[in-house]
Amino acid sequence: MARTSIATVCLSGTLEDRLDAAGAAGFDAVEIFENDLIAAASTPEQIRARVADLGLTISLYQPFRDAEGAPAERFAAVRRRMTAKLDLMARLGADTVLICSSVAPDTIDDDDLAAEQLRTLAELADDRGMRIAYEALAWGRHVSTWQRSWEIVRRAGHPALGLCLDSFHVLSRTDQYADIAGIPGDRVFFLQLADAPRLSMDVLQWSRHHRLFPLQGSLDLVGFTKAVLATGYRGPLSLEVFNDVFRQADPHRTAVDARRSLTALQDCLDGGGFPASSLTGLAFTELGVDADSGPQMEALLGALGFTHSGQHRSKPVQLWEQGDARILLNSGVGEAAISAFALESSDPEAAARRAAHLHARPLPRRRRQREADLTAVAAPDGTAVFFCRTEPVGEHGWLDDFLPTGEPRALSTGITAIDHLSLAQPFDRYDEAALFYRAVLGLTDDEAGEFAAPFGLVRTLAIRNADRSVRVALSVPVLRRGDWAPAIPHPQHITLATDDLPRTAAALAAAGMILPIPANYYDDLDARISAPAAVRRLGVMYDEDEHGSYWQLFTPVIGSRVFVEVVQRVGDYRGYGFANDPVRMAAHRQQRLREEIKD
Ligand SMILES: O=C(O)c1ccc(O)c(O)c1
Ligand SMILES: [Mg+2]
């Protein structure tokens, strides 16, 4: 396993806070960012001691700017500055400094001059047993590609001068990175890793605000890292992520997220992709209910044709069932929201081991005698995720934790299973969540979207297992919530699958539990596609793709945090009806306003 390293710029707080967080998360090394050091109260010797106490080493000191291609007068000052920084590094116990390619307007466009000047600086470093890693910034004045930085390093021909390869600078500009594998490994001094979402914007802004940890974005970190390792490079894998959210977040939490990304990346390097998921379905979903929302949720489930079939042996938890859809109502955990879900796995112990290996936060087990031993970890938003087998009653599975109520089976309204869960994510946890669902649970991206909701732009990402028996739709506001938006602008929801939507709709309508959809929606639908007449008649929303169609109906929000959607997939429709979300959100807003008037 390669050594792991993280740049202090990835984290927030004082330099000391950042070092502590990196150490606690189990990194081997840190890149010290110059600005963080300059602002630190500790002396370089104190920082060196703290780094050692934390079990860390300093992998890199950076950045050193505007060095190569300088006019002669300015180069004298560059030499002076480098001498001072090398002396500082000696005090810190750092042996490699990063020079990033010049952006200064007076930089001379001449590879031989750049090589000669870098050789001069490398001699200064070499005198102290130190080395220089040269990095092409994607926005460098003249040197902005890895090919050109390599050409200059090659021409300089000094053993104390090598390359720094940074995945962001390479992959933000080109998919042509395969030739990196041909660079001799001893000429690559450092490897920096950052992912990012694909955005079409100025590359400097993209880099300084939107970098992500590996596997949180959409750059090919696996392919890139493989190419660099193919050179024979054996230095650390070092994270260098400039991100507006991480700069404001608890550094300890960010450091664990960062560490998880490197473990996951290493797994992908070893295996050629994420290890296959053992998940085979959704065993149950648990909603937290209180004195108000509990009876409302019971009434809704009753109207939908669920049976209250079991009562937990030791906890205030009801089991409601219809077909393979199982919903637990837990009145011991607070207001209505999705508090937990359980994933069925062909090997729950292996799924739990994988989660622990990827630094997922384990949740304490509160098991009584004779109760099933379910392992749970916390998803980034705090939702408990269980791994289990659903054994038939009497086989010591989780179902045996529930005593039968003896209530007769209700008449089915066509509900067959839980189709998917829609989990609104806290703004500050979204990227962490994407990595959690991909790496810890082994799910793959399905469909991504962005739309204008009543309280701001919302981004969605649906993710699933191979046979679509586990599907989760994550959503997140594009900006942090403003003052005007309600406290919970985007409730979570459970989407149930029905094989008889008209029957489910009739049952919900009889109970007065269907969310009304505005006529404008149907007029637009008619104008765009010739949707079946039943869509308007039933008051449902509709979508279609090349495989089939999707019929959706919604309940009002129960309490303030959760509602239920019922869908019928006709043919082999693959999507989630994201295009309908803004209209549905506005309809929920209308419903709340009507209720406020009633109150
Ligand atoms: O944004 C920058 O200036 C900057 C500095 C140093 C780096 O290693 C880098 O990748 C970017
Ligand atoms: Mg870099």
Side-chain angles (χ1 to χ4, degrees):
M1 170 103 188
R3 277 163 26 89
T4 57
S5 165
I6 184 168
T8 55
V9 75
C10 303
L11 302 168
S12 67
T14 62
L15 178 61
E16 293 81 357
D17 292 333
R18 301 174 199 225
L19 296 176
D20 291 353
F27 280 92
D28 299 311
V30 286
E31 293 180 25
I32 301 270
F33 250 66
E34 182 156 282
N35 289 344
D36 300 331
L37 175 107
I38 293 169
S42 311
T43 64
E45 289 75 14
Q46 287 168 330
I47 292 165
R48 177 186 197 145
R50 189 165 189 137
V51 164
D53 285 348
L54 289 163
L56 296 164
T57 58
I58 297 176
S59 56
L60 189 78
Y61 182 82
Q62 76 139 331
F64 190 96
R65 298 185 190 274
D66 296 325
E68 87 290 9
E73 329 68 85
R74 187 160 70 70
F75 190 68
V78 169
R79 269 191 75 136
R80 223 185 108 253
R81 180 156 55 96
M82 180 56 90
T83 306
K85 296 303 172 184
L86 294 170
D87 291 346
L88 167 67
M89 286 168 57
R91 296 173 66 192
L92 280 171
D95 67 2
T96 306
V97 58
L98 177 143
I99 293 182
C100 52
S101 57
S102 293
V103 298
D106 66 356
T107 307
I108 299 160
D109 187 6
D110 178 346
D111 285 358
D112 284 322
L113 176 69
E116 183 199 312
Q117 292 179 333
L118 288 176
R119 189 183 327 111
T120 303
L121 299 176
E123 280 162 5
L124 293 177
D126 202 20
D127 289 344
R128 295 162 172 80
M130 295 178 185
R131 355 184 262 172
I132 293 173
Y134 179 52
E135 171 193 67
L137 294 177
W139 56 89
R141 183 110 191 145
H142 302 299
V143 178
S144 58
T145 63
W146 69 266
Q147 288 92 340
R148 191 132 183 223
S149 57
W150 168 227
E151 177 57 24
I152 292 170
V153 165
R154 206 188 53 74
R155 283 194 203 183
H158 194 288
L161 179 71
L163 270 187
C164 170
L165 293 167
D166 178 321
S167 62
F168 181 86
H169 294 301
V170 176
L171 299 176
S172 62
R173 297 190 46 124
T174 179
D175 295 329
Q176 310 290 301
Y177 56 80
D179 293 347
I180 285 177
I183 302 172
D186 63 355
R187 309 276 64 221
V188 183
F189 283 4
F190 209 72
L191 170 58
Q192 292 180 318
L193 298 174
D195 202 341
R198 283 261 167 229
L199 300 170
S200 56
M201 65 188 295
D202 171 66
V203 70
L204 184 148
Q205 297 299 329
W206 185 17
S207 176
R208 295 250 174 102
H209 300 277
H210 301 283
R211 286 191 185 203
L212 295 170
F213 295 120
L215 308 170
Q216 292 182 336
S218 7
L219 304 183
D220 182 11
L221 268 287
V222 175
F224 176 82
T225 309
K226 277 188 177 164
V228 177
L229 293 178
T231 65
Y233 172 79
R234 291 295 171 265
L237 306 183
S238 192
L239 301 170
E240 190 203 29
V241 167
F242 308 88
N243 180 289
D244 296 346
V245 175
F246 301 159
R247 279 182 194 274
Q248 295 188 359
D250 172 353
H252 281 269
R253 182 159 187 143
T254 308
V256 173
D257 187 28
R259 190 65 191 72
R260 173 180 306 125
S261 77
L262 280 185
T263 304
L265 179 68
Q266 189 78 53
D267 289 351
C268 290
L269 295 172
D270 294 344
F274 284 123
S277 159
S278 66
L279 304 179
T280 55
L282 195 57
F284 66 77
T285 302
E286 179 187 273
L287 301 175
V289 289
D290 62 12
D292 286 334
S293 58
Q296 288 178 51
M297 197 52 88
E298 290 171 31
L300 172 59
L301 293 177
L304 275 170
F306 279 75
T307 305
H308 174 202
S309 58
Q311 188 66 40
H312 197 273
R313 289 173 189 273
S314 63
K315 295 177 200 157
V317 182
Q318 301 178 349
L319 167 63
W320 290 75
E321 290 185 89
Q322 182 175 182
D324 288 329
R326 300 177 205 95
I327 295 178
L328 310 188
L329 300 185
N330 187 341
S331 54
V333 293
E335 232 251 81
I338 296 175
S339 47
F341 58 89
L343 295 165
E344 260 162 38
S345 164
S346 53
D347 189 348
E349 293 76 23
R353 275 197 304 277
R354 172 183 185 146
H357 162 71
L358 286 160
H359 319 273
R361 182 159 63 90
L363 290 173
R365 301 179 184 196
R366 274 159 306 175
R367 180 167 81 98
R368 301 265 174 101
Q369 228 187 344
R370 297 181 56 220
E371 289 177 8
D373 186 13
L374 296 186
T375 316
V377 296
D381 67 352
T383 306
V385 180
F386 290 91
F387 302 109
C388 68
R389 277 185 206 93
T390 302
E391 314 279 10
V393 173
E395 300 283 321
H396 310 292
W398 68 270
L399 278 170
D400 285 332
D401 294 351
F402 289 85
L403 298 169
T405 58
E407 282 186 22
R409 288 273 148 181
L411 198 60
S412 164
T413 67
I415 307 291
T416 54
I418 294 175
D419 185 271
H420 66 274
L421 300 178
S422 292
L423 304 176
Q425 298 298 300
F427 178 74
D428 288 353
R429 302 266 187 271
Y430 178 72
D431 301 303
E432 185 185 340
L435 179 62
F436 175 88
Y437 285 96
R438 288 172 188 148
V440 176
L441 302 186
L443 305 179
T444 49
D445 290 18
D446 197 358
E447 190 184 321
E450 195 172 297
F451 55 82
F455 298 105
L457 296 179
V458 172
R459 183 178 301 147
T460 52
L461 173 67
I463 102 180
R464 63 172 173 86
N465 68 349
D467 69 2
R468 297 185 160 79
S469 57
V470 177
R471 286 189 265 222
V472 175
L474 305 176
S475 65
V476 70
V478 169
L479 286 180
R480 209 181 252 117
R481 184 168 66 88
D483 289 343
W484 188 69
I488 301 159
H490 306 120
Q492 303 193 313
H493 67 278
I494 299 188
T495 299
L496 302 169
T498 179
D499 60 11
D500 190 349
L501 192 94
R503 197 152 113 225
T504 319
L508 270 183
M513 296 265 217
I514 292 193
L515 180 73
I517 303 300
N520 294 345
Y521 171 78
Y522 296 105
D523 295 344
D524 173 65
L525 204 57
D526 287 343
R528 285 189 292 116
I529 51 177
S530 43
V535 170
R536 191 190 289 256
R537 181 162 41 75
L538 291 170
V540 300
M541 298 186 102
Y542 180 82
D543 190 28
E544 53 188 35
D545 65 11
E546 64 272 36
H547 307 288
S549 62
Y550 194 55
W551 301 59
Q552 310 168 266
L553 61 87
F554 304 91
T555 72
V557 175
I558 308 289
S560 62
R561 292 171 193 271
V562 74
F563 64 91
V564 173
E565 175 183 15
V566 182
V567 302
Q568 184 161 12
R569 293 177 184 269
V570 177
D572 190 24
Y573 176 86
R574 306 264 170 94
Y576 299 78
F578 284 154
N580 290 326
D581 274 358
V583 178
R584 191 266 304 155
M585 287 181 176
H588 270 134
R589 174 67 176 160
Q590 275 313 120
Q591 170 233 330
R592 315 279 299 181
L593 291 174
R594 275 195 305 274
E595 279 173 8
E596 277 170 29
I597 291 164
K598 263 193 292 178
D599 289 349

